[in-house]
C-alpha cells in the first residue's frame, strides 16, 4: 500500500475519530455542569493526544505527512472546542465546537487537494471552501436560534411574573374593597389579613 493511501486512511480515521473522541469530553447529562477540573483535564488530554497523533505522522513524507498533520491538528481542535462547549454550556461555545469540526474537515480536504492539478484541484479547493462556509453558517444559524429561544424564554418568564404581580395587585384591591363593608376592629382585621395574604405589609 502506498504512503499516500496510508496517510489518507490515517487522516480519515483521525478526523472521523474526532467527534467520537470529543464525546469523552461531553457532559454526562444536559443538566450536569462540567467542572473546571474536568475541563482542564480534557484540554490536557487533547494536547497529549495531539502529540501522539503528530508523532504517528512522522513516518510519512511530503503531502501524506501534511494530510496526517492536518488531521491530527483538527482532532485536537475538535476535542478542545467540545471540552469548552461542555464546560461553558453556551450557544456560542457550541457554535465554536461545530466550527472546529468544519475547520478540521476543511484543513484535511485542502491538503488532499494538493494531490490534484489543474481544474481538478481548483474544483477540489472550491468544494472544500464551500463545505467550510456551509459548516460555519449552519453553526451560526443554530447559535442564533438558541439565543433567540433563550431570549424568548426569558421574556416569557418575565411576562408571566409581571402578569402574576398584576393579578395579585388586582386581587388585593378586591380583598380590600370587601373589607370596606365592615367597620372598626373587624375592618382592621380584614384589612390586615388581606395585606398579609398578598404580601403588602
Amino acid at each position: 500500500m502506498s504512503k499516500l493511501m496510508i496517510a489518507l486512511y490515517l487522516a480519515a480515521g483521525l478526523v472521523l475519530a474526532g467527534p467520537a473522541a470529543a464525546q469523552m469530553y461531553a457532559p454526562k447529562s444536559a443538566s450536569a455542569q462540567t467542572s473546571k477540573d474536568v475541563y482542564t483535564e480534557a484540554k490536557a488530554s487533547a494536547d497529549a493526544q495531539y502529540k501522539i497523533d503528530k508523532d504517528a505522522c512522522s513516518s510519512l513524507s511530503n503531502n501524506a505527512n501534511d494530510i496526517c498533520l492536518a488531521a491530527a491538528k483538527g482532532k485536537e481542535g475538535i476535542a478542545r472546542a467540545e471540552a469548552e462547549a461542555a464546560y461553558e454550556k453556551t450557544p456560542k461555545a457550541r457554535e465554536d465546537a461545530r466550527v472546529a469540526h468544519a475547520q478540521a474537515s476543511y484543513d484535511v480536504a485542502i491538503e488532499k487537494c494538493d494531490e490534484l492539478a489543474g481544474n481538478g484541484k481548483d474544483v477540489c479547493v472550491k468544494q472544500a471552501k464551500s463545505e467550510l462556509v456551509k459548516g460555519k453558517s449552519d453553526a451560526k444559524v443554530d447559535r442564533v436560534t438558541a439565543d433567540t429561544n433563550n431570549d424568548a424564554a426569558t421574556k416569557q418568564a418575565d411576562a408571566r411574573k409581571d402578569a402574576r404581580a398584576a393579578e395579585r395587585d388586582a386581587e388585593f384591591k378586591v380583598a380590600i374593597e370587601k373589607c370596606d363593608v365592615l367597620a372598626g376592629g373587624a375592618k382592621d382585621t380584614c384589612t390586615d389579613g388581606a395585606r398579609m395574604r398578598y404580601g403588602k405589609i
Side-chain angles (χ1 to χ4, degrees), residues 3 5 8 11 13 18 22 24 28 47 52-53 72-73 76 82 97 101 105 108-109 111 116 118 150 156 176:
K3 283 190 175 183
M5 290 306 294
L8 291 176
M24 294 188 305
K28 297 301 179 189
D47 293 342
I52 293 168
D53 293 340
K73 191 68 180 168
E76 178 197 26
E82 290 285 350
H101 280 276
S105 295
V108 171
E111 292 298 339
L116 305 172
N150 287 343
Q156 192 175 39
I176 291 294

Side-chain angles (χ1 to χ4, degrees), residues 19-51:
Q23 291 298 320
M24 294 188 305
Y25 310 118
K28 297 301 179 189
S29 70
S31 61
Q33 183 82 15
T34 302
S35 73
K36 181 76 170 173
D37 290 341
V38 171
Y39 169 58
T40 302
E41 185 180 318
K43 289 195 302 179
S45 178
D47 293 342
Q49 186 61 48
Y50 169 67
K51 289 174 184 168

Side-chain angles (χ1 to χ4, degrees), residues 10 14 45-61 64-76:
L10 183 58
L14 288 173
S45 178
D47 293 342
Q49 186 61 48
Y50 169 67
K51 289 174 184 168
I52 293 168
D53 293 340
K54 183 179 174 187
D55 288 345
C57 297
S58 63
S59 63
L60 304 170
S61 59
N65 180 263
D66 294 341
I67 292 169
C68 185
L69 289 174
K73 191 68 180 168
K75 181 180 172 184
E76 178 197 26

Side-chain angles (χ1 to χ4, degrees), residues 92-120:
K92 179 67 172 106
R94 286 189 289 274
E95 176 189 11
D96 291 344
R98 290 191 61 187
V99 168
H101 280 276
Q103 187 66 52
S105 295
Y106 170 78
D107 291 343
V108 171
I110 285 295
E111 292 298 339
K112 289 180 181 180
C113 291
D114 283 346
E115 295 293 324
L116 305 172
N119 184 254

Side-chain angles (χ1 to χ4, degrees), residues 116-137:
L116 305 172
N119 184 254
K121 181 174 181 176
D122 293 343
V123 170
C124 182
V125 169
K126 296 279 187 197
Q127 182 66 39
K129 287 182 179 176
S130 173
E131 290 298 321
L132 177 61
V133 168
K134 182 181 184 306
K136 287 182 174 181
S137 297

